[in-house]
Amino acid sequence: GNSVTQMEGPVTLSEEAFLTINCTYTATGYPSLFWYVQYPGEGLQLLLKATKADDKGSNKGFEATYRKETTSFHLEKGSVQVSDSAVYFCALGRGSTLGRLYFGRGTQLTVWP
Amino acid sequence: DADVTQTPRNRITKTGKRIMLECSQTKGHDRMYWYRQDPGLGLRLIYYSFDVKDINKGEISDGYSVSRQAQAKFSLSLESAIPNQTALYFCATSDLAGGGTGELFFGEGSRLTVL
């Protein structure tokens, strides 16, 4: 079946620290991979995505590379800011399942000044 | 105004009551979804609809029903609410071209508490 496993939080960092949130997936075929972010009191919004192996998604200083050989899509940022404090969700989507996404459990990130 | 609007944003009700959560969108998307978020469990799909005449169960549809009144409107009902349906509910949309590889657009969520 299709599933996503992401590292459990919470993750607490100081401002300007390096961030990695691990995400691995299980799927048949060739899924698309996503990172969504949920800021306090808001809905989820797309942070970045990659649709095929070796693609790198990037946005707002965040990056993630689709690694088919390790079935991973780890989220990284070189220097986090207080405003990055949020919950981050890794997700998987496949065309054969017609539009639904499979989400990981979410990782709470808190950045202190 | 938000592209995906959910009402109510917060609701407290009692066990056994009927509750309806409503979702409307101005994005012109054909596909609409209802997800439930519980702490530590991520988001789980309740129901989804690819057009007005198409309704599909997700992974946790028991105890819920939906109605797609128009392309822009998709409501979720709890016929007889129970405490373990206390959660944050999200409506989302996507367009036909996006399909399974595209982006979901989320509403701001409806927090439901069942006492």
Side-chain angles (χ1 to χ4, degrees), chain A residues 27 35-36 42 45 53 59 71 77 85 87 103-104 108:
Chain A
W35 277 101
Y36 279 81
E42 299 183 9
Q45 55 186 277
N59 186 24
T71 61
K77 186 175 185 181
S85 297
V87 182
F103 287 87
Q108 172 75 55

Side-chain angles (χ1 to χ4, degrees), chain B residues 91-110:
Chain B
C91 177
T93 72
S94 69
D95 66 24
L96 189 61
T101 60
E103 178 179 356
L104 288 180
F105 295 84
F106 285 85
E108 294 182 322
S110 296

Side-chain angles (χ1 to χ4, degrees), chain A residues 32 34 36 38 41-44 46 49 51 89 93-95 97-101 103-105, chain B residues 9 31 33 35 37 40-43 45 50 59 88 90 99-104 106-108:
Chain A
S32 293
F34 306 83
Y36 279 81
Q38 183 182 28
E42 299 183 9
L44 281 73
L46 181 68
K49 69 178 182 181
T51 58
F89 292 91
R94 296 194 60 228
T97 53
L98 297 178
R100 67 154 300 170
L101 295 187
F103 287 87
R105 296 187 174 192
Chain B
R9 294 292 311 281
R31 300 181 175 192
Y33 311 79
Y35 281 89
Q37 183 182 20
L41 294 180
L43 276 77
L45 183 63
F50 288 156
E59 59 189 301
L88 184 57
F90 284 103
T101 60
E103 178 179 356
L104 288 180
F106 285 85
E108 294 182 322

Side-chain angles (χ1 to χ4, degrees), chain B residues 54-65:
Chain B
D54 177 79
I55 301 290
N56 303 280
K57 293 182 178 180
E59 59 189 301
I60 56 162
S61 58
D62 288 348
Y64 302 94
S65 62

Side-chain angles (χ1 to χ4, degrees), chain B residues 26-72:
Chain B
T26 58
K27 299 193 73 66
H29 289 168
D30 288 316
R31 300 181 175 192
M32 298 187 73
Y33 311 79
W34 276 104
Y35 281 89
R36 167 178 171 161
Q37 183 182 20
D38 297 279
L41 294 180
L43 276 77
R44 293 179 291 168
L45 183 63
I46 306 172
Y47 271 96
Y48 60 104
S49 169
F50 288 156
D51 63 41
V52 174
K53 297 180 181 179
D54 177 79
I55 301 290
N56 303 280
K57 293 182 178 180
E59 59 189 301
I60 56 162
S61 58
D62 288 348
Y64 302 94
S65 62
V66 291
S67 174
R68 185 81 183 265
Q69 301 95 326
Q71 188 211 31

